[in-house]
Amino acid sequence: MEKSGYESCDDVRKADLIIINTCSIREKAAQKVYSQLGRLKQLKRKNHRLILGVGGCLAQQWGSQFIERVPFLDLVFGTHNIHLLPELVAKVEKSRAPVVRIEFQESVKSLNIPVPNNNGRVSAYITIMQGCNNFCSYCVVPYVRGREESRPFRDIVDEARSLAYSGIKDITLLGQNVNSYGLGNGGGHDFADLLQEIEHISGIERIRFTTSHPKDLSDKLIRCFSRTGKLCEHIHLPVQAGSDRILTMMNRCYTINDYCEKVDTLRAVCPEISITSDIIVGFPGETDRDFQATIDMMKKIRFDNIFSFNYSERKRTDAAKLGDTVNASVKRERLQTVQSLQEEHTLEKHKALVGNMEEILVEGPSKNSRDDMTGRTRTNKIVNFRGDYELIGKVVHVRITCAYLHSLRGELTGEEVT
Ligand code: SAH
Ligand code: SF4
């Protein structure tokens, strides 16, 4: 949008263009969009030039119905049309009539968007593929983001190089299932090859990726954790549930035994690896016994952290045919149990780091104190410590002194790594 003369502003009341990026994965996120749009309606009344748009997968799903439901909206664009944003905004400016564009494109052109200014950031994301072919029974992603398609290998490497040139040190490669990168159209390169190639880009110091589907996590990729020096020791490996019966109903294509074996291999190859996960509670038909299997699995694996969700029924998915059978209060209780158990595990993992020397990539000032800097360990844990602004973007050695649930505290050792 900068090329069209727009610049970012930090006060929504002064904006002439507001785009809300939406998510349809769970009902709660969808509801938030409507309340947010309700609040923005008053700004439209005050500023007649204001263009209000929605993108993302709720926009994809709703299309022109969005305009019917929210008549003051100017623009609705889908998941494959992001690259057309300047064109679509120009169309609204000219016609002052609502514009809707949600067609699926056949190629991943929509992901080739020029790299923005880094604005002092040290980390950035690169989308390496779009869509998903897995059709987990609860999930709407394959319907709203289309079939899985990988971006060309060279485009991704070039983007990583531009980011490195602009000062980015830490890159996270993004896809719904990065393990299947390259199947079909990566030009003969798989995900492990991509990691190796980015490893050679000078300036990039840390490489991360998300998300990895356990069924496709290959030994070749696991071995990268011991071989690829810049690949950080962290994997997000969503398990979803601990009961094989529920995993089958979810169409996840692995058993808990398979999952535990992958975790064992990861820990054997890289003992310090941090493993995080996603868990859904209250999938249709989940019994107390099924739920207990999730708790047992958590106690066995002891994740570093998890994202946990109440099952949310999504139209068009296979699971929607089963009905939303687990009572809301039971779901709430189960979620609470999962979250309390995870808090114990997270704190235990954090406490085990006290006394350790960690490499921290310094991101900027901490939220709570202007005298403190904040950064992350290679295992993706947040560490705050006393430090100066000139450390931003550098990797420093910090000794961990205190462990909390959401972060760690440490002391600079005076030894700079880069
Ligand atoms: N592609 C990733 C996840 C994408 S969605 C993967 O397969 O791991 C992110 C998370 O949202 C999922 O891992 C799942 O835990 C959760 N999720 C997806 N659909 C959901 C639903 N209908 N209800 C509750 N949680 C859901
Ligand atoms: Fe959804 Fe499953 Fe695809 Fe992840 S792998 S996006 S959970 S369908």
Side-chain angles (χ1 to χ4, degrees), residues 25 131-142 145 148 176-177 211 213 215 238 240 250-252 278 280:
I25 289 181
C132 183
N133 290 347
N134 285 316
F135 291 92
C136 301
S137 67
Y138 50 82
C139 185
V140 77
V141 167
R145 305 206 189 146
E148 181 179 289
Q176 294 300 344
N177 181 16
T211 301
H213 193 304
K215 79 175 161 58
Q240 312 298 0
M250 286 179 162
N251 191 29
R252 288 291 286 180
D278 291 345
I280 298 176

Side-chain angles (χ1 to χ4, degrees), residues 97-369:
V99 169
V100 177
R101 182 69 73 87
I102 56 165
E103 290 78 27
F104 274 171
Q105 312 273 333
E106 293 218 329
S107 76
V108 283
K109 264 199 294 193
S110 51
L111 299 178
N112 261 348
I113 296 170
V115 178
N117 288 335
N118 82 13
N119 285 333
R121 287 172 308 137
V122 297
S123 47
Y125 292 104
I126 302 183
T127 303
I128 63 163
M129 57 209 291
Q130 70 180 11
C132 183
N133 290 347
N134 285 316
F135 291 92
C136 301
S137 67
Y138 50 82
C139 185
V140 77
V141 167
Y143 304 95
V144 289
R145 305 206 189 146
R147 290 290 60 72
E148 181 179 289
E149 201 181 346
S150 299
R151 265 177 88 186
F153 190 79
R154 278 290 136 214
D155 288 1
I156 298 170
V157 175
D158 287 349
E159 186 164 330
R161 225 176 252 123
S162 310
L163 286 167
Y165 187 70
S166 77
I168 294 293
K169 305 272 161 61
D170 178 327
I171 278 186
T172 304
L173 303 173
L174 282 182
Q176 294 300 344
N177 181 16
V178 294
N179 311 41
S180 51
Y181 173 80
L183 294 183
N185 56 348
H189 300 285
D190 66 11
F191 185 61
D193 299 333
L194 187 60
L195 290 176
Q196 289 293 341
E197 190 71 15
I198 296 177
E199 172 87 17
H200 296 130
I201 300 179
S202 74
I204 299 297
E205 307 203 4
R206 293 180 166 192
I207 307 170
R208 306 177 183 279
F209 61 82
T210 195
T211 301
S212 208
H213 193 304
K215 79 175 161 58
D216 301 318
L217 178 61
S218 67
D219 284 345
K220 183 176 177 192
L221 183 53
I222 293 179
R223 280 196 303 274
C224 289
F225 282 104
S226 70
R227 276 208 210 123
T228 316
K230 294 181 182 174
L231 181 62
C232 288
E233 295 77 16
H234 169 222
I235 187 164
H236 187 66
L237 196 62
V239 60
Q240 312 298 0
S243 144
D244 284 340
R245 194 180 77 87
I246 297 291
L247 286 173
T248 306
M249 281 159 72
M250 286 179 162
N251 191 29
R252 288 291 286 180
C253 308
Y254 53 83
T255 62
I256 276 302
N257 201 27
D258 298 335
Y259 185 89
C260 289
E261 277 177 13
K262 302 260 175 182
V263 168
D264 288 345
T265 318
L266 279 162
R267 287 181 170 155
V269 166
C270 180
E272 64 277 38
I273 197 163
S274 139
I275 302 180
T276 56
S277 201
D278 291 345
I279 290 180
I280 298 176
V281 300
F283 184 83
E286 184 187 69
T287 61
D288 285 344
R289 202 167 154 182
D290 292 318
F291 178 64
Q292 188 54 44
T294 295
I295 296 296
D296 294 345
M297 173 274 298
M298 286 176 69
K299 287 183 178 162
K300 185 167 174 208
I301 295 176
R302 299 186 106 78
F303 293 111
D304 286 75
N305 219 333
I306 58 163
F307 294 108
S308 49
F309 314 101
N310 277 330
Y311 170 72
S312 169
E313 185 179 291
R314 305 279 72 200
K315 283 200 189 88
R316 295 168 79 188
T317 61
D318 277 353
K321 295 179 196 134
L322 304 170
D324 193 356
T325 61
V326 179
N327 182 293
S329 66
V330 173
K331 273 191 203 162
R332 255 197 314 275
E333 214 173 282
R334 288 181 182 169
L335 190 64
Q336 186 57 49
T337 308
V338 161
Q339 290 177 344
S340 312
L341 179 62
Q342 184 54 47
E343 286 182 4
E344 277 174 36
H345 293 169
T346 304
L347 197 55
E348 169 193 294
K349 298 262 177 187
H350 283 182
K351 281 187 177 156
L353 296 176
V354 173
N356 275 17
M357 177 99 93
E358 295 283 337
E359 280 183 20
I360 309 295
L361 172 60
V362 187
E363 291 172 9
S366 114
K367 270 189 251 154
N368 300 328
S369 159

